[in-house]
Amino acid sequence: MTVRSTDHESPRPFPPGLTVRHPRPSDHAVLQGALTDWWGGQGGEAGAQQRRLLVPRLFLQHFAGTSLLVEEVEGAAALRAFLIGFLSQTDPETAYIHFVGVHPEAQRGGLGSALYYRFFDLARGHGRSRVRSITSPVNRNSIAYHSRMGFRVEPGDHVEDGVAVHTDYDGPGLDRVSFVREL
């Protein structure tokens, strides 16, 4: 089922005790730690390194205004979630969600959805009418989550386990599932 949003779509509230802000370059080390720790060792050290390489400091320097961090209000402002997104420079209708993470203890509490809806509002405010994202075909949780969030899987060049896949999307052996969501 594809859900089409409207300008009247209600944003999802963030749980109490949390604050949302745009990242700063000084947040890079904390994000790198989350990319190492929050995935439960998935892929071992090589997997952690791949995740860290996907969020270089430049995202916090050049896309901070379209990226979001969620922190606990009390204590040492512990990171609970983040979304790295940007506005396409080549397609004025499109915004892109590059990477999202939610602390394992905060998953399934609506935090990810609240981040996505905040990004949808931000993209809409910049005149964008669609949001795109990708994931690996083996990341079934991400595929299911994007579907629940109203994204549709775009046609690929082959189908794996019932999902359209783009072969070598990010290079040899780096197949991806591509999503789009109309705002």
Side-chain angles (χ1 to χ4, degrees):
M1 174 175 126
T2 300
V3 177
R4 186 175 172 91
S5 70
T6 68
D7 288 336
H8 306 292
E9 183 175 63
S10 62
R12 304 309 192 260
F14 285 91
L18 299 175
T19 185
V20 182
R21 67 173 175 86
H22 297 292
R24 299 180 288 269
S26 60
D27 295 315
H28 189 250
V30 171
L31 277 172
Q32 292 289 290
L35 292 161
T36 300
D37 300 336
W38 290 3
W39 274 259
Q42 181 182 359
E45 180 52 36
Q49 178 68 10
Q50 287 177 353
R51 286 187 297 278
R52 290 189 302 265
L53 289 171
L54 287 172
V55 186
R57 187 179 305 272
L58 72 87
F59 278 99
L60 309 183
Q61 295 169 320
H62 301 287
F63 302 112
T66 52
S67 296
L68 303 162
L69 296 184
V70 179
E71 297 171 319
E72 290 178 340
V73 175
E74 298 295 320
L79 182 66
R80 301 310 283 170
F82 65 90
L83 181 149
I84 305 297
F86 58 88
L87 305 174
S88 173
Q89 296 296 301
T90 54
D91 181 355
E93 298 294 316
T94 299
Y96 188 85
I97 295 176
H98 173 67
F99 207 107
V100 179
V102 177
H103 190 286
E105 294 173 2
Q107 292 177 2
R108 304 212 183 279
L111 197 48
S113 297
L115 273 172
Y116 270 67
Y117 282 102
R118 177 73 61 97
F119 184 80
F120 296 160
D121 287 344
L122 191 151
R124 217 180 270 112
H126 284 278
R128 305 306 163 116
S129 60
R130 80 181 60 87
V131 176
R132 294 184 181 279
S133 192
I134 61 169
T135 196
S136 167
V138 299
N139 194 340
R140 304 313 259 175
N141 289 337
S142 178
I143 294 167
Y145 182 79
H146 282 88
S147 295
R148 286 192 307 272
M149 289 298 299
F151 285 84
R152 70 177 166 77
V153 175
E154 296 188 282
D157 56 24
H158 77 282
V159 174
E160 274 181 38
D161 297 324
V163 177
V165 174
H166 297 264
T167 305
D168 298 336
Y169 183 94
D170 278 332
L174 300 173
D175 300 352
R176 298 292 181 256
V177 175
S178 180
F179 302 100
V180 63
R181 185 187 196 275
E182 301 301 323
L183 299 176

